[in-house]
């Protein structure tokens, strides 16, 4: 399987740290990256892989269709459940499930091998600290946090700093332009259309 990643995506993918934090501007290409990272893990037998978004509806809208398309392209799907957004992988018997964090207590009980928390700044921090951190313990799951920043008071900033200080963690910060999916001309126009604080947060991926 040969998949082309951008230079920033490749840098994140190459990281050997157990916990990775990606803060980026919008349209950076993080959904594609998270799908590739889940597929890497799913190539190992009998893995339990979760993608968690702020709500179940968001998980379906953001990731489900792209995930199915990518897995189908490489004939990886053994079984699929459209109701609970779960796919069993051919050959390895690994499971990829999409979840919502709106009722985070319902996420208790499953031991994980790999976890993605997408748009994690918009997820209640108790989802991680009180529920999912324990789910990652027995199998020492790898975790990828991704999203747009939500200011210095949000827990996303707390984890971003942890990625700069803790040897088990690594943080990455990229702008929309660095993602390579949006032109400079479009960003120049967007800068005229929104206030500067919003532009910096949403397109430059900075904490405001």
């Amino acid at each position: 399987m040969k998949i082309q990643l951008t230079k920033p995506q490749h840098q994140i993918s190459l990281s050997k740290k157990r916990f990775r934090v990606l803060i980026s501007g919008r349209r950076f290409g993080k959904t594609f990256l998270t799908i590739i990272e889940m597929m890497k893990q799913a190539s190992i037998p009998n893995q339990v892989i979760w993608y968690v978004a702020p709500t179940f509806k968001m998980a379906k809208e953001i990731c489900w269709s792209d995930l199915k398309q990518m897995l189908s392209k490489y004939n990886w799907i053994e079984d699929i459940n459209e109701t609970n957004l779960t796919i069993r992988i051919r050959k390895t018997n690994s499971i990829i499930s999409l979840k919502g964090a709106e009722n985070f207590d319902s996420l208790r009980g499953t031991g994980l091998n790999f976890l993605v928390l997408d748009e994690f700044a918009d997820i209640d921090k108790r989802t991680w600290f009180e529920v999912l951190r324990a789910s990652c313990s027995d199998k020492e799951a790898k975790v990828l946090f991704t999203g747009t920043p939500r200011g210095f008071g949000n827990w996303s900033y707390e984890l971003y700093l942890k990625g700069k200080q803790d040897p088990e963690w690594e943080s990455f910060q990229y702008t929309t332009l660095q993602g390579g999916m949006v032109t400079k001309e479009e960003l120049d126009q967007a800068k005229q259309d929104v206030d500067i604080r919003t532009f910096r947060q949403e397109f430059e991926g900075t904490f405001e």
Side-chain angles (χ1 to χ4, degrees), residues 165-187:
Q165 301 159 354
D166 191 312
E168 285 291 305
W169 290 64
E170 186 169 8
S171 287
F172 303 87
Q173 190 171 24
Y174 293 105
T175 66
T176 297
L177 186 62
Q178 287 173 311
M181 296 177 64
V182 180
T183 65
K184 184 178 183 302
E185 290 73 22
E186 173 61 20
L187 290 171

PDB file of all heavy atoms in Angstrom, residues 165-187:
ATOM      1  N   GLN A 165       6.924  18.990  26.712  1.00  0.00           N
ATOM      2  CA  GLN A 165       7.672  18.775  27.950  1.00  0.00           C
ATOM      3  C   GLN A 165       7.842  17.315  28.341  1.00  0.00           C
ATOM      4  O   GLN A 165       8.852  16.935  28.922  1.00  0.00           O
ATOM      5  CB  GLN A 165       6.961  19.523  29.104  1.00  0.00           C
ATOM      6  CG  GLN A 165       6.839  21.021  28.867  1.00  0.00           C
ATOM      7  CD  GLN A 165       5.731  21.663  29.698  1.00  0.00           C
ATOM      8  OE1 GLN A 165       4.968  20.994  30.389  1.00  0.00           O
ATOM      9  NE2 GLN A 165       5.647  22.990  29.630  1.00  0.00           N
ATOM     10  N   ASP A 166       6.845  16.487  28.038  1.00  0.00           N
ATOM     11  CA  ASP A 166       6.844  15.099  28.474  1.00  0.00           C
ATOM     12  C   ASP A 166       7.525  14.220  27.421  1.00  0.00           C
ATOM     13  O   ASP A 166       7.162  14.276  26.244  1.00  0.00           O
ATOM     14  CB  ASP A 166       5.392  14.640  28.685  1.00  0.00           C
ATOM     15  CG  ASP A 166       5.290  13.294  29.384  1.00  0.00           C
ATOM     16  OD1 ASP A 166       5.996  12.348  28.979  1.00  0.00           O
ATOM     17  OD2 ASP A 166       4.489  13.179  30.335  1.00  0.00           O
ATOM     18  N   PRO A 167       8.492  13.381  27.808  1.00  0.00           N
ATOM     19  CA  PRO A 167       9.224  12.562  26.821  1.00  0.00           C
ATOM     20  C   PRO A 167       8.360  11.526  26.103  1.00  0.00           C
ATOM     21  O   PRO A 167       8.751  11.016  25.048  1.00  0.00           O
ATOM     22  CB  PRO A 167      10.314  11.881  27.658  1.00  0.00           C
ATOM     23  CG  PRO A 167       9.840  11.965  29.071  1.00  0.00           C
ATOM     24  CD  PRO A 167       9.043  13.224  29.165  1.00  0.00           C
ATOM     25  N   GLU A 168       7.189  11.193  26.652  1.00  0.00           N
ATOM     26  CA  GLU A 168       6.285  10.241  26.009  1.00  0.00           C
ATOM     27  C   GLU A 168       5.338  10.926  25.020  1.00  0.00           C
ATOM     28  O   GLU A 168       4.579  10.264  24.316  1.00  0.00           O
ATOM     29  CB  GLU A 168       5.458   9.499  27.064  1.00  0.00           C
ATOM     30  CG  GLU A 168       6.211   8.442  27.831  1.00  0.00           C
ATOM     31  CD  GLU A 168       6.560   7.247  26.942  1.00  0.00           C
ATOM     32  OE1 GLU A 168       5.642   6.671  26.341  1.00  0.00           O
ATOM     33  OE2 GLU A 168       7.749   6.914  26.850  1.00  0.00           O
ATOM     34  N   TRP A 169       5.379  12.248  25.001  1.00  0.00           N
ATOM     35  CA  TRP A 169       4.453  13.040  24.186  1.00  0.00           C
ATOM     36  C   TRP A 169       5.223  13.843  23.136  1.00  0.00           C
ATOM     37  O   TRP A 169       6.395  14.143  23.305  1.00  0.00           O
ATOM     38  CB  TRP A 169       3.660  14.014  25.058  1.00  0.00           C
ATOM     39  CG  TRP A 169       2.653  13.373  25.968  1.00  0.00           C
ATOM     40  CD1 TRP A 169       2.900  12.505  27.006  1.00  0.00           C
ATOM     41  CD2 TRP A 169       1.235  13.561  25.945  1.00  0.00           C
ATOM     42  NE1 TRP A 169       1.734  12.154  27.614  1.00  0.00           N
ATOM     43  CE2 TRP A 169       0.692  12.783  26.994  1.00  0.00           C
ATOM     44  CE3 TRP A 169       0.374  14.319  25.149  1.00  0.00           C
ATOM     45  CZ2 TRP A 169      -0.684  12.733  27.256  1.00  0.00           C
ATOM     46  CZ3 TRP A 169      -0.988  14.280  25.403  1.00  0.00           C
ATOM     47  CH2 TRP A 169      -1.500  13.490  26.440  1.00  0.00           C
ATOM     48  N   GLU A 170       4.506  14.226  22.059  1.00  0.00           N
ATOM     49  CA  GLU A 170       5.066  15.156  21.076  1.00  0.00           C
ATOM     50  C   GLU A 170       3.935  15.997  20.480  1.00  0.00           C
ATOM     51  O   GLU A 170       2.870  15.475  20.168  1.00  0.00           O
ATOM     52  CB  GLU A 170       5.798  14.421  19.958  1.00  0.00           C
ATOM     53  CG  GLU A 170       6.510  15.375  18.997  1.00  0.00           C
ATOM     54  CD  GLU A 170       7.455  14.677  18.033  1.00  0.00           C
ATOM     55  OE1 GLU A 170       7.464  13.426  17.988  1.00  0.00           O
ATOM     56  OE2 GLU A 170       8.181  15.384  17.316  1.00  0.00           O
ATOM     57  N   SER A 171       4.172  17.296  20.386  1.00  0.00           N
ATOM     58  CA  SER A 171       3.170  18.209  19.829  1.00  0.00           C
ATOM     59  C   SER A 171       3.623  18.775  18.495  1.00  0.00           C
ATOM     60  O   SER A 171       4.811  19.031  18.283  1.00  0.00           O
ATOM     61  CB  SER A 171       2.894  19.356  20.810  1.00  0.00           C
ATOM     62  OG  SER A 171       2.144  18.904  21.910  1.00  0.00           O
ATOM     63  N   PHE A 172       2.636  18.995  17.626  1.00  0.00           N
ATOM     64  CA  PHE A 172       2.879  19.564  16.302  1.00  0.00           C
ATOM     65  C   PHE A 172       1.894  20.712  16.098  1.00  0.00           C
ATOM     66  O   PHE A 172       0.748  20.651  16.542  1.00  0.00           O
ATOM     67  CB  PHE A 172       2.651  18.519  15.212  1.00  0.00           C
ATOM     68  CG  PHE A 172       3.494  17.285  15.353  1.00  0.00           C
ATOM     69  CD1 PHE A 172       3.062  16.218  16.143  1.00  0.00           C
ATOM     70  CD2 PHE A 172       4.713  17.178  14.703  1.00  0.00           C
ATOM     71  CE1 PHE A 172       3.828  15.072  16.276  1.00  0.00           C
ATOM     72  CE2 PHE A 172       5.488  16.031  14.830  1.00  0.00           C
ATOM     73  CZ  PHE A 172       5.044  14.971  15.623  1.00  0.00           C
ATOM     74  N   GLN A 173       2.335  21.745  15.398  1.00  0.00           N
ATOM     75  CA  GLN A 173       1.469  22.897  15.120  1.00  0.00           C
ATOM     76  C   GLN A 173       1.723  23.360  13.682  1.00  0.00           C
ATOM     77  O   GLN A 173       2.854  23.669  13.313  1.00  0.00           O
ATOM     78  CB  GLN A 173       1.754  24.032  16.113  1.00  0.00           C
ATOM     79  CG  GLN A 173       0.751  25.166  16.067  1.00  0.00           C
ATOM     80  CD  GLN A 173       0.971  26.146  17.230  1.00  0.00           C
ATOM     81  OE1 GLN A 173       2.065  26.243  17.782  1.00  0.00           O
ATOM     82  NE2 GLN A 173      -0.069  26.864  17.603  1.00  0.00           N
ATOM     83  N   TYR A 174       0.639  23.380  12.886  1.00  0.00           N
ATOM     84  CA  TYR A 174       0.761  23.746  11.476  1.00  0.00           C
ATOM     85  C   TYR A 174      -0.372  24.687  11.075  1.00  0.00           C
ATOM     86  O   TYR A 174      -1.473  24.631  11.628  1.00  0.00           O
ATOM     87  CB  TYR A 174       0.712  22.507  10.571  1.00  0.00           C
ATOM     88  CG  TYR A 174       1.892  21.590  10.702  1.00  0.00           C
ATOM     89  CD1 TYR A 174       1.781  20.384  11.389  1.00  0.00           C
ATOM     90  CD2 TYR A 174       3.121  21.912  10.139  1.00  0.00           C
ATOM     91  CE1 TYR A 174       2.866  19.530  11.512  1.00  0.00           C
ATOM     92  CE2 TYR A 174       4.213  21.074  10.257  1.00  0.00           C
ATOM     93  CZ  TYR A 174       4.079  19.884  10.940  1.00  0.00           C
ATOM     94  OH  TYR A 174       5.153  19.040  11.065  1.00  0.00           O
ATOM     95  N   THR A 175      -0.083  25.505  10.083  1.00  0.00           N
ATOM     96  CA  THR A 175      -1.102  26.402   9.535  1.00  0.00           C
ATOM     97  C   THR A 175      -1.881  25.690   8.430  1.00  0.00           C
ATOM     98  O   THR A 175      -1.460  24.636   7.929  1.00  0.00           O
ATOM     99  CB  THR A 175      -0.460  27.666   8.937  1.00  0.00           C
ATOM    100  OG1 THR A 175       0.327  27.283   7.787  1.00  0.00           O
ATOM    101  CG2 THR A 175       0.437  28.369   9.943  1.00  0.00           C
ATOM    102  N   THR A 176      -2.986  26.276   8.035  1.00  0.00           N
ATOM    103  CA  THR A 176      -3.752  25.763   6.901  1.00  0.00           C
ATOM    104  C   THR A 176      -2.890  25.733   5.643  1.00  0.00           C
ATOM    105  O   THR A 176      -2.897  24.754   4.886  1.00  0.00           O
ATOM    106  CB  THR A 176      -4.993  26.634   6.654  1.00  0.00           C
ATOM    107  OG1 THR A 176      -5.845  26.563   7.804  1.00  0.00           O
ATOM    108  CG2 THR A 176      -5.762  26.186   5.429  1.00  0.00           C
ATOM    109  N   LEU A 177      -2.125  26.795   5.417  1.00  0.00           N
ATOM    110  CA  LEU A 177      -1.281  26.889   4.223  1.00  0.00           C
ATOM    111  C   LEU A 177      -0.269  25.745   4.172  1.00  0.00           C
ATOM    112  O   LEU A 177      -0.022  25.176   3.104  1.00  0.00           O
ATOM    113  CB  LEU A 177      -0.556  28.236   4.203  1.00  0.00           C
ATOM    114  CG  LEU A 177       0.258  28.539   2.935  1.00  0.00           C
ATOM    115  CD1 LEU A 177      -0.642  28.583   1.704  1.00  0.00           C
ATOM    116  CD2 LEU A 177       1.016  29.863   3.093  1.00  0.00           C
ATOM    117  N   GLN A 178       0.302  25.395   5.305  1.00  0.00           N
ATOM    118  CA  GLN A 178       1.292  24.316   5.347  1.00  0.00           C
ATOM    119  C   GLN A 178       0.674  22.965   4.993  1.00  0.00           C
ATOM    120  O   GLN A 178       1.380  22.061   4.571  1.00  0.00           O
ATOM    121  CB  GLN A 178       1.937  24.251   6.740  1.00  0.00           C
ATOM    122  CG  GLN A 178       2.903  25.391   7.005  1.00  0.00           C
ATOM    123  CD  GLN A 178       3.401  25.403   8.443  1.00  0.00           C
ATOM    124  OE1 GLN A 178       2.614  25.318   9.388  1.00  0.00           O
ATOM    125  NE2 GLN A 178       4.708  25.480   8.614  1.00  0.00           N
ATOM    126  N   GLY A 179      -0.651  22.844   5.152  1.00  0.00           N
ATOM    127  CA  GLY A 179      -1.323  21.601   4.794  1.00  0.00           C
ATOM    128  C   GLY A 179      -1.358  21.366   3.305  1.00  0.00           C
ATOM    129  O   GLY A 179      -1.495  20.232   2.841  1.00  0.00           O
ATOM    130  N   GLY A 180      -1.243  22.436   2.506  1.00  0.00           N
ATOM    131  CA  GLY A 180      -1.154  22.303   1.059  1.00  0.00           C
ATOM    132  C   GLY A 180      -2.475  22.116   0.337  1.00  0.00           C
ATOM    133  O   GLY A 180      -2.497  21.908  -0.878  1.00  0.00           O
ATOM    134  N   MET A 181      -3.603  22.205   1.054  1.00  0.00           N
ATOM    135  CA  MET A 181      -4.904  21.979   0.417  1.00  0.00           C
ATOM    136  C   MET A 181      -5.629  23.276   0.063  1.00  0.00           C
ATOM    137  O   MET A 181      -6.588  23.269  -0.702  1.00  0.00           O
ATOM    138  CB  MET A 181      -5.794  21.136   1.338  1.00  0.00           C
ATOM    139  CG  MET A 181      -5.264  19.745   1.599  1.00  0.00           C
ATOM    140  SD  MET A 181      -6.308  18.812   2.751  1.00  0.00           S
ATOM    141  CE  MET A 181      -7.833  18.695   1.806  1.00  0.00           C
ATOM    142  N   VAL A 182      -5.181  24.394   0.642  1.00  0.00           N
ATOM    143  CA  VAL A 182      -5.817  25.691   0.415  1.00  0.00           C
ATOM    144  C   VAL A 182      -4.769  26.664  -0.113  1.00  0.00           C
ATOM    145  O   VAL A 182      -3.656  26.736   0.419  1.00  0.00           O
ATOM    146  CB  VAL A 182      -6.436  26.246   1.723  1.00  0.00           C
ATOM    147  CG1 VAL A 182      -7.104  27.595   1.477  1.00  0.00           C
ATOM    148  CG2 VAL A 182      -7.452  25.241   2.296  1.00  0.00           C
ATOM    149  N   THR A 183      -5.108  27.403  -1.149  1.00  0.00           N
ATOM    150  CA  THR A 183      -4.135  28.310  -1.764  1.00  0.00           C
ATOM    151  C   THR A 183      -3.921  29.564  -0.928  1.00  0.00           C
ATOM    152  O   THR A 183      -4.778  29.951  -0.122  1.00  0.00           O
ATOM    153  CB  THR A 183      -4.599  28.743  -3.157  1.00  0.00           C
ATOM    154  OG1 THR A 183      -5.800  29.531  -3.019  1.00  0.00           O
ATOM    155  CG2 THR A 183      -4.870  27.534  -4.050  1.00  0.00           C
ATOM    156  N   LYS A 184      -2.781  30.195  -1.153  1.00  0.00           N
ATOM    157  CA  LYS A 184      -2.480  31.439  -0.465  1.00  0.00           C
ATOM    158  C   LYS A 184      -3.491  32.516  -0.845  1.00  0.00           C
ATOM    159  O   LYS A 184      -3.887  33.347  -0.012  1.00  0.00           O
ATOM    160  CB  LYS A 184      -1.063  31.899  -0.805  1.00  0.00           C
ATOM    161  CG  LYS A 184      -0.638  33.164  -0.046  1.00  0.00           C
ATOM    162  CD  LYS A 184       0.781  33.554  -0.389  1.00  0.00           C
ATOM    163  CE  LYS A 184       1.218  34.772   0.424  1.00  0.00           C
ATOM    164  NZ  LYS A 184       0.351  35.948   0.226  1.00  0.00           N
ATOM    165  N   GLU A 185      -3.931  32.512  -2.087  1.00  0.00           N
ATOM    166  CA  GLU A 185      -4.911  33.504  -2.558  1.00  0.00           C
ATOM    167  C   GLU A 185      -6.229  33.365  -1.794  1.00  0.00           C
ATOM    168  O   GLU A 185      -6.842  34.367  -1.397  1.00  0.00           O
ATOM    169  CB  GLU A 185      -5.155  33.333  -4.055  1.00  0.00           C
ATOM    170  CG  GLU A 185      -3.987  33.733  -4.953  1.00  0.00           C
ATOM    171  CD  GLU A 185      -2.837  32.741  -4.917  1.00  0.00           C
ATOM    172  OE1 GLU A 185      -3.059  31.568  -4.555  1.00  0.00           O
ATOM    173  OE2 GLU A 185      -1.695  33.153  -5.234  1.00  0.00           O
ATOM    174  N   GLU A 186      -6.656  32.149  -1.564  1.00  0.00           N
ATOM    175  CA  GLU A 186      -7.892  31.913  -0.814  1.00  0.00           C
ATOM    176  C   GLU A 186      -7.738  32.370   0.640  1.00  0.00           C
ATOM    177  O   GLU A 186      -8.644  32.958   1.227  1.00  0.00           O
ATOM    178  CB  GLU A 186      -8.267  30.428  -0.867  1.00  0.00           C
ATOM    179  CG  GLU A 186      -9.434  30.028   0.020  1.00  0.00           C
ATOM    180  CD  GLU A 186     -10.735  30.728  -0.327  1.00  0.00           C
ATOM    181  OE1 GLU A 186     -10.883  31.234  -1.463  1.00  0.00           O
ATOM    182  OE2 GLU A 186     -11.620  30.772   0.562  1.00  0.00           O
ATOM    183  N   LEU A 187      -6.574  32.127   1.207  1.00  0.00           N
ATOM    184  CA  LEU A 187      -6.327  32.540   2.585  1.00  0.00           C
ATOM    185  C   LEU A 187      -6.261  34.063   2.696  1.00  0.00           C
ATOM    186  O   LEU A 187      -6.732  34.643   3.676  1.00  0.00           O
ATOM    187  CB  LEU A 187      -5.036  31.904   3.106  1.00  0.00           C
ATOM    188  CG  LEU A 187      -5.114  30.387   3.335  1.00  0.00           C
ATOM    189  CD1 LEU A 187      -3.739  29.825   3.629  1.00  0.00           C
ATOM    190  CD2 LEU A 187      -6.079  30.070   4.466  1.00  0.00           C
TER     191      LEU A 187
END
